[in-house]
C-alpha cells in the first residue's frame, strides 16, 4: 500500500544480499513515519515485544527473519531450537508467530547447517510473498460480502462497516486481512464508510487504522469503543469485520480486547459479524478458545497513560488515573464461534465452526 504516493510493504529487505530487514516503527504512527533497520534476533524480539511491529501475520514474518539472523553465528540444530523458543516467547496470543517459526525450523532442519542462512532468507522471503497473496485473496472473498450489501441497499447511500483494532496492511506484509476487502470495495467505487474503534487501551483503531484508511482516502469515523453498540442499534452498521490473532479448530476467535463486546452487540442487533484470517492464524491444536488460548497481559501503563499530541503539536503521554490506582491490561479476548456470522479465509468463506473450517481445509482434519 502507499504512503504519500510511494508503495511499501510493512517489512522488506533492501536487496537480496542484504542481511537486515526494514520495518516501520508502529509505535510512532501516525505522528511520524520512521523506518527501523533490524539485523539481529535480539532487535527482532525487542521490536515484537514493544510492538514496533505488531499484527499477527506481520509478527510471524518478522520473527522468521529473526531466526535467520540468529543462525548467522551458529547454525547448529541446538542454536536453531534455542532461537526458535526465544522468538516464540515474545508474544503469546498471536499463533502466526509459532506457525512461522515452526515452518522455518522444519524447513531448515532438512538443510545442511552451512546452507541454513541462505535457505532461511529464501524461506522467510517466501512467507512474506505468500502473506501478500493470501491477504489479496481474503480481500477478494470479503469484497463479495460488501458488494452484496451494496446491491441489497439498491446502491443507495453507503456501506457502513465497523472494524476493531488494526487488521490493515501494517498488521500484515501488505493488504491486511479485515481491511483488504474494504480497500478493494473503495477502489472499485463502492462508497464505504468505516466506524473505527479500539480506542482503548492502545488506541490501535484511532492511531493506526484511521491513519491507514485516511492515507488511502477511505471515509471513516473514529468512535469511542463504547459507541459501537449504539450505532448497531441505530441501524448504522451494515457489517462488522475484524482480524484475529488465533482461531481454534471449532472457530472461536481471539482478537484485540473489546472484540467480544462488539460481537455481542452485533449478535443482539442482527448485524453480520465476520472475521478475516489467513489459515496461518488457525490453531488446529486447540478447540475451546476461552479455555485454551493464552491471553497476553500487557503493562498496566497502557491503561494508566494515553499518548497523543499536545496543544503544541508535541507527541507525549499523560496519566489518566489517580497516581496510586493499579490497572489490569488483558490485550485480547475470545469471541465464541456462536456469535459470528462466519470466517473469511484465503480459500473462501465458511461458518465459524469445526465443520466450516474442515470444509475449507480438509487436509488439516487428517493432520490433527
Ligand atoms: C491482521 S492482524 C489481526 C490481529 O493481529 C489484529 O486484529 C490485532 O488484534 C492486533 O493486535 P496487536 O496487539 O496490535 O498485535
Amino acid at each position: 500500500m502507499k504512503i504519500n504516493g510511494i508503495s511499501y510493504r510493512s517489512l522488506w529487505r533492501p536487496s537480496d544480499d542484504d542481511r537486515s530487514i526494514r520495518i516501520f516503527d508502529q509505535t510512532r504512527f501516525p505522528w511520524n513515519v520512521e523506518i527501523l533497520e533490524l539485523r539481529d534476533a535480539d532487535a527482532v524480539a525487542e521490536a515484537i515485544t514493544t510492538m514496533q511491529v505488531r499484527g499477527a501475520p506481520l509478527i510471524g514474518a518478522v520473527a522468521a527473519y529473526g531466526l535467520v539472523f540468529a543462525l548467522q553465528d551458529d547454525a547448529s540444530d541446538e542454536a536453531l531450537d534455542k532461537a526458535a523458543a526465544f522468538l516464540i516467547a515474545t508474544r503469546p496470543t498471536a499463533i502466526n508467530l509459532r506457525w512461522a517459526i515452526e515452518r522455518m525450523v522444519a524447513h531448515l532442519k532438512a538443510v545442511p547447517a552451512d546452507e541454513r542462512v541462505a535457505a532461511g532468507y529464501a524461506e522467510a522471503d517466501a512467507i512474506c510473498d505468500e502473506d501478500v497473496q493470501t491477504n489479496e485473496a481474503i480481500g477478494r472473498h470479503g469484497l463479495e460480502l460488501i458488494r452484496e450489501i451494496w446491491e441489497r441497499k439498491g446502491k443507495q447511500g453507503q456501506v457502513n462497516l465497523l472494524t476493531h483494532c488494526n487488521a490493515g496492511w501494517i498488521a500484515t506484509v501488505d493488504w491486511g486481512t479485515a481491511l483488504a476487502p474494504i480497500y478493494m470495495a473503495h477502489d472499485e467505487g463502492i462508497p464505504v464508510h468505516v466506524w473505527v474503534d479500539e480506542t482503548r487501551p492502545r488506541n490501535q483503531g484511532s492511531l493506526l487504522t484511521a491513519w491507514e484508511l485516511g492515507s488511502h482516502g477511505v471515509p471513516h469515523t473514529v468512535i469511542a469503543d463504547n459507541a459501537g453498540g449504539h450505532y448497531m442499534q441505530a441501524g448504522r452498521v451494515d457489517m462488522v469485520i475484524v482480524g484475529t490473532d488465533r482461531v481454534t479448530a471449532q472457530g472461536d476467535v481471539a482478537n484485540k480486547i473489546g472484540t467480544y463486546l462488539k460481537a455481542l452487540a452485533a449478535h443482539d442487533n442482527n448485524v453480520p459479524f465476520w472475521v478475516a484470517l489467513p489459515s496461518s492464524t488457525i490453531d488446529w491444536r486447540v478447540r475451546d478458545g476461552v479455555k485454551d488460548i493464552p491471553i497476553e497481559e500487557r503493562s498496566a501503563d497502557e491503561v494508566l497513560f494515553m499518548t497523543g499530541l499536545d496543544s503544541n503539536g508535541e507527541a507525549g503521554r499523560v496519566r489518566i488515573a489517580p497516581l496510586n490506582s493499579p490497572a489490569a491490561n488483558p490485550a485480547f479476548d475470545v469471541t465464541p464461534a456462536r456469535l459470528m456470522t462466519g470466517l473469511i479465509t484465503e480459500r473462501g468463506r465458511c461458518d465459524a465452526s469445526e465443520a466450516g473450517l474442515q470444509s475449507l481445509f480438509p487436509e488439516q482434519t487428517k493432520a490433527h
Side-chain angles (χ1 to χ4, degrees), residues 254-317:
N255 192 45
K256 181 59 53 179
I257 192 78
T259 304
Y260 172 49
L261 291 177
K262 295 289 134 59
L264 283 171
H267 197 251
D268 194 45
N269 290 285
N270 290 320
V271 172
F273 185 100
W274 287 90
V275 180
L277 60 131
S279 52
S280 52
T281 304
I282 306 169
D283 185 350
W284 298 100
R285 296 177 239 200
V286 298
R287 293 174 51 75
D288 183 336
V290 175
K291 226 171 62 204
D292 295 329
I293 297 180
I295 300 297
E296 176 180 4
E297 188 75 28
R298 293 189 61 84
S299 164
D301 280 4
E302 293 180 355
V303 175
L304 296 172
F305 292 85
M306 284 186 75
T307 56
L309 286 189
D310 68 16
S311 49
N312 297 320
E314 300 289 329
R317 61 179 211 158

Side-chain angles (χ1 to χ4, degrees), residues 250-253 260 263-264 267 273 290 334-342 351-353:
Q250 67 181 20
D252 296 340
V253 160
Y260 172 49
L264 283 171
H267 197 251
F273 185 100
V290 175
V334 174
T335 301
R338 67 186 157 78
L339 295 177
M340 282 168 243
T341 309
D351 286 344
S353 67

Side-chain angles (χ1 to χ4, degrees), residues 29 43 57 84 168 209 224 228 241 286 339:
F29 283 146
T209 298
I241 182 164
V286 298
L339 295 177

Side-chain angles (χ1 to χ4, degrees), residues 51 54-57 59 91 164-168 171-172 177 204 243-245 255-256 332:
M51 294 178 65
R54 32 67 52 195
I59 294 168
R91 288 196 77 189
H164 186 75
C165 191
N166 175 263
T172 63
T177 55
Q204 311 273 66
T244 168
D245 294 80
N255 192 45
K256 181 59 53 179
F332 299 95

